Amino acid sequence: MNLKYNKEDREKYSEAIDRMQESLDSMIDLYNEAEDDEELIQYDEEVIAAIRQAKESFGEDFINQKINTIVKEVLSFMQGGQTPDKDK
């Protein structure tokens, strides 16, 4: 099957192919630049449930801020010389 194009159709198809190639290149760049999502903390199921409940009650932004504040405080204490053996 042979398709026949006039000059205008050929230019439109060429432009469409160019745009598709540019889009594909952009997608490849995004994929190559993406980083693996690293889970920093593994919460127990009961903690996850409590966080979800708190977010429903108080709002996500408020709970995120409070959890971040608590984690910063705990980490600042640990930098002061506390080790896992001392906590047992």
Side-chain angles (χ1 to χ4, degrees), residues 4-61:
K4 295 185 179 186
Y5 301 105
N6 62 31
K7 184 177 179 178
E8 184 180 326
D9 288 340
R10 188 175 300 276
E11 287 175 7
K12 287 180 183 178
Y13 282 114
S14 178
E15 288 173 11
I17 290 170
D18 289 345
R19 286 194 302 269
M20 289 172 49
Q21 185 62 44
E22 288 172 7
S23 297
L24 181 59
D25 289 343
S26 294
M27 291 296 294
I28 290 170
D29 288 342
L30 284 173
Y31 176 80
N32 288 335
E33 292 172 5
E35 297 177 6
D36 290 337
D37 188 17
E38 179 183 350
E39 187 174 322
L40 296 177
I41 298 174
Q42 294 179 351
Y43 294 108
D44 296 335
E45 286 300 318
E46 67 184 62
V47 174
I48 292 171
I51 291 171
R52 286 186 177 139
Q53 177 69 36
K55 284 183 175 186
E56 287 178 18
S57 298
F58 300 103
E60 187 169 341
D61 290 339

Side-chain angles (χ1 to χ4, degrees), residues 37-86:
D37 188 17
E38 179 183 350
E39 187 174 322
L40 296 177
I41 298 174
Q42 294 179 351
Y43 294 108
D44 296 335
E45 286 300 318
E46 67 184 62
V47 174
I48 292 171
I51 291 171
R52 286 186 177 139
Q53 177 69 36
K55 284 183 175 186
E56 287 178 18
S57 298
F58 300 103
E60 187 169 341
D61 290 339
F62 179 77
I63 296 303
N64 286 341
Q65 179 186 7
K66 293 298 181 183
I67 290 173
N68 276 294
T69 299
I70 292 167
V71 170
K72 286 178 200 173
E73 284 293 317
V74 169
L75 293 174
S76 72
F77 291 139
M78 294 175 80
Q79 290 174 351
Q82 214 175 22
T83 64
D85 291 336
K86 291 181 182 178

